[in-house]
Amino acid sequence: MTQPLDQRPVLVVDFGAQYAQLIARRVREANVYSEIVPHTMPAAEMLARDPAAIVLSGGPSSVYAEGAPALEEAVVTAGVPVLGICYGFQAMAHALGGQVARTGAREYGDTTAAVTDTGSTLFAGQPGSQQVWMSHGDAVTTAPPGTRVTATTPGAEVAAFEDDDRRLYGVQWHPEVLHSAHGQEILTNFLVSGAGIEPTWTSGNVAEQLVEDVRAKVGKDRVLCGLSGGVDSSVAAALVQRAVGDQLTCVFVDHGLLREGEAEQVEEDFVAATGVDLVVVDARERFLSALAGVSDPEEKRKIIGREFIRVFEQAARDVVRAHDASHEDDHPVRWLVQGTLYPDVVESGGGTGAANIKSHHNVGGLPDDLQFELIEPLRALFKDEVRQVGLELGVPEGIVWRQPFPGPGLGIRIVGEVTADRLDVLRRADAVARAELTAAGLDRDIWQCPVVLLADVRSVGVQGDGRTYGHPVVLRPVSSEDAMTADWTRVPYDVLARISSRITNEVPEVNRVVLDVTSKPPGTIEWE
């Protein structure tokens, strides 16, 4: 992976923690570049990457259990600054000659830590008593030789230790979670004071470096981008356009399953802000015809994906043909832009950079015979970083802060057959919900708020002086950081009341608005 700004990475070693990605994000929030690596990576390979520091994540194992993830001693004796967290703290203590045991004093959740040295590297400027988030059954009972204990909790006499000479640090709790009151300060202190890293990872610097990287890679070649109107593809397109200008052509497939105003936002606002060369394919009738009579959600997904592939493939070939016919230069359409983000890379096992495309979630999966090389300018970034880079590049705020939207669009927010009339009903209801949430200033508090039309369900109602059988719609506001888990958002009652009143008044086909209060898990964010 390219290291933006040519920074030496902070490596986050994943010991199977649910929070490894969160640790990496918190490091970047301290304006320091980070990457996640598996605990199975040999120490020699980690050190060959010349890390500025190493953070050892938590994990579910016991360090002394058979088959537990091991920590090679070389990781903590090579002179690289190291911070151990939870299991990583225990593995570090074990490797350095300390003692770890199951004491019977387990700690889960909110705990009070007593800091015994508020002038230490990790705890400088912090109170002597602070709330921390614990999740451990084992504990370090004897600190490693050469380290000094700097914090304790009721269930862990050694809750933190430090060794400034060897630049080795550790805490038993999880500083990366918001429940640890001074967690970000601890991480920042380690990175800046302990590891001596200059915090230069900023959106402006990152955007500038990524533009230069793309310009160097593409050269004079032509580039194609499948633009969905979502945050990721829009920022990727803007970045590539800034790098290579009119060498880029974007293809926007309007499948008719977008929310109100979104097609126009891409065609007008995005183009006006970036100057990108945009080809719009109106495929609304094609998609509706293909979806006629289909109610099964998986079948709908397959149809939408298949039709998208065919439309995009034809559009791509048209662009290539037009380019070849112009004879303006001898450079082929070689590259395809994808809005892949760092979580996609991590969850897919790492990725290899440029490659011949077979399938990708951003464009619904492309056919084997559509041969381009892949360029993924955002593959080192998390979603929040992508938004900041987008703002630096002048992408309209309405797109940058757009809620995540599924590739199949409104097709999977209609429970039942997708028709033009039902899409119209859902668009109007969705537009009301989005307008009221925006008016209430809740856009940044809500990760996503799908509005679902129960098209195959009718409920009795009274509208005006008559009895009606209208459709219910479901509001699904959720809060999340990465969509891996989510909780339903506690939207104020008065906002919910306005949404319900407006929808039932302005969308006559709907006579009931309900609220989904299920977390993920067990429920998913989308209904289909």
Side-chain angles (χ1 to χ4, degrees):
M1 175 181 295
T2 299
Q3 293 173 203
L5 306 184
D6 298 321
Q7 282 198 355
R8 296 164 60 204
V10 171
L11 298 183
V12 177
V13 182
D14 184 1
F15 283 104
Q18 60 178 318
Y19 295 132
Q21 284 195 31
L22 184 55
I23 296 171
R25 287 188 60 207
R26 296 293 185 243
V27 170
R28 294 189 185 191
E29 287 173 11
N31 296 330
V32 174
Y33 178 60
S34 65
E35 293 181 8
I36 301 170
V37 298
H39 71 270
T40 52
M41 177 180 284
E45 187 176 341
M46 287 186 200
L47 297 173
R49 300 179 69 169
D50 190 26
I54 294 173
V55 180
L56 310 174
S57 85
S61 303
S62 296
V63 295
Y64 49 75
E66 184 177 353
L71 174 67
E72 291 185 62
E73 186 177 345
V75 173
V76 291
T77 59
V80 177
V82 180
L83 173 68
I85 294 174
C86 195
Y87 179 86
F89 171 67
Q90 296 171 7
M92 185 178 181
H94 185 69
L96 291 169
Q99 299 296 316
V100 180
R102 177 148 296 186
T103 63
R106 298 185 298 173
E107 289 178 311
Y108 294 100
D110 196 38
T111 305
T112 301
V115 177
T116 56
D117 183 358
T118 56
S120 73
T121 296
L122 291 186
F123 300 112
Q126 298 169 39
S129 178
Q130 55 184 262
Q131 296 307 113
V132 300
W133 191 258
M134 284 285 202
S135 181
H136 72 102
D138 299 342
V140 177
T141 54
T142 304
T147 65
R148 59 194 180 92
V149 178
T150 51
T152 65
T153 67
E157 291 186 9
V158 183
F161 59 65
E162 305 184 27
D163 183 341
D164 286 318
D165 292 336
R166 292 182 290 176
R167 298 191 295 178
L168 302 176
Y169 307 89
V171 292
Q172 179 61 66
W173 61 87
H174 288 275
E176 71 274 19
V177 302
L178 295 177
H179 302 287
S180 293
H182 297 274
Q184 188 64 30
E185 295 170 56
I186 291 170
L187 287 171
T188 300
N189 283 348
F190 164 69
L191 296 166
V192 177
S193 301
I197 300 172
E198 185 178 355
T200 57
W201 174 262
T202 65
S203 58
N205 291 340
V206 170
E208 182 179 345
Q209 182 63 55
L210 291 176
V211 167
E212 290 301 320
D213 290 346
V214 169
R215 187 175 291 136
K217 176 177 285 190
V218 170
K220 298 295 185 181
D221 296 325
R222 300 280 302 174
V223 187
L224 195 67
C225 177
L227 187 64
S228 70
V231 179
D232 306 336
S233 70
S234 296
V235 174
L239 195 151
V240 174
Q241 196 276 337
R242 176 72 63 87
V244 300
D246 58 9
Q247 292 168 232
L248 170 69
T249 299
C250 289
V251 176
F252 173 60
V253 177
D254 184 357
H255 49 33
L257 305 174
L258 297 171
R259 295 180 294 189
E260 188 174 282
E262 287 182 325
E264 294 78 9
Q265 187 176 49
V266 172
E267 293 184 56
E268 298 171 13
D269 297 350
F270 183 73
V271 173
T274 63
V276 74
D277 177 26
L278 180 66
V279 174
V280 179
V281 181
D282 185 349
R284 290 174 291 181
E285 289 300 324
R286 176 174 183 153
F287 278 81
L288 274 178
S289 296
L291 290 166
V294 178
S295 295
D296 179 74
E298 284 306 307
E299 185 63 21
K300 285 193 287 188
R301 285 179 179 272
K302 290 177 182 177
I303 289 170
I304 294 168
R306 181 194 71 212
E307 293 302 316
F308 189 95
I309 290 169
R310 290 176 178 172
V311 173
F312 185 85
E313 178 184 21
Q314 185 58 54
R317 289 173 175 166
D318 290 345
V319 169
V320 172
R321 249 193 314 272
H323 164 70
D324 291 343
S326 70
H327 300 294
E328 291 178 357
D329 53 54
D330 296 324
H331 298 285
V333 181
R334 176 182 173 188
W335 301 96
L336 179 69
V337 179
Q338 294 275 41
T340 306
L341 305 191
Y342 190 48
D344 304 323
V345 176
V346 173
E347 290 162 14
S348 64
T352 57
N356 286 340
I357 297 173
K358 290 188 178 178
S359 65
H360 195 281
H361 71 279
N362 282 316
V363 292
L366 294 174
D368 293 343
D369 61 354
L370 185 62
Q371 296 294 310
F372 295 101
E373 287 186 75
L374 184 65
I375 186 166
E376 299 172 306
L378 307 178
R379 63 184 278 112
L381 306 184
F382 287 98
K383 176 76 82 173
D384 50 346
E385 295 170 325
V386 169
R387 294 188 197 277
Q388 292 304 318
V389 167
L391 293 174
E392 291 286 339
L393 294 169
V395 177
E397 288 200 10
I399 292 178
V400 167
W401 295 109
R402 182 187 184 211
Q403 293 179 1
F405 192 58
L410 298 180
I412 58 167
R413 292 185 178 174
I414 294 175
V415 179
E417 181 186 2
V418 178
T419 68
D421 289 342
R422 289 175 172 182
L423 284 168
D424 179 62
V425 169
L426 181 52
R427 277 196 193 92
R428 284 180 283 144
D430 176 85
V432 168
R434 286 192 290 146
E436 288 298 335
L437 292 173
T438 298
L442 297 174
D443 284 344
R444 307 288 174 87
D445 298 324
I446 296 176
W447 169 269
Q448 199 172 349
C449 185
V451 177
V452 182
L453 175 65
L454 304 184
D456 287 345
V457 176
R458 288 187 179 271
S459 64
V460 68
V462 177
Q463 289 171 296
D465 294 324
R467 181 183 179 91
T468 63
Y469 278 96
H471 298 291
V473 295
V474 181
L475 305 180
R476 175 70 167 133
V478 295
S479 299
S480 179
E481 287 195 328
D482 53 17
M484 302 281 290
T485 60
D487 192 16
W488 66 279
T489 307
R490 276 60 170 179
V491 177
Y493 289 154
D494 60 333
V495 178
L496 292 173
R498 286 197 299 272
I499 293 173
S500 177
S501 177
R502 281 194 58 191
I503 289 177
T504 53
N505 279 301
E506 297 174 26
V507 188
E509 297 89 346
V510 175
N511 66 356
R512 196 174 298 269
V513 177
V514 299
L515 179 67
D516 183 345
V517 295
T518 314
S519 61
K520 176 188 179 183
T524 55
I525 293 177
E526 299 290 345
W527 271 48
E528 292 201 336

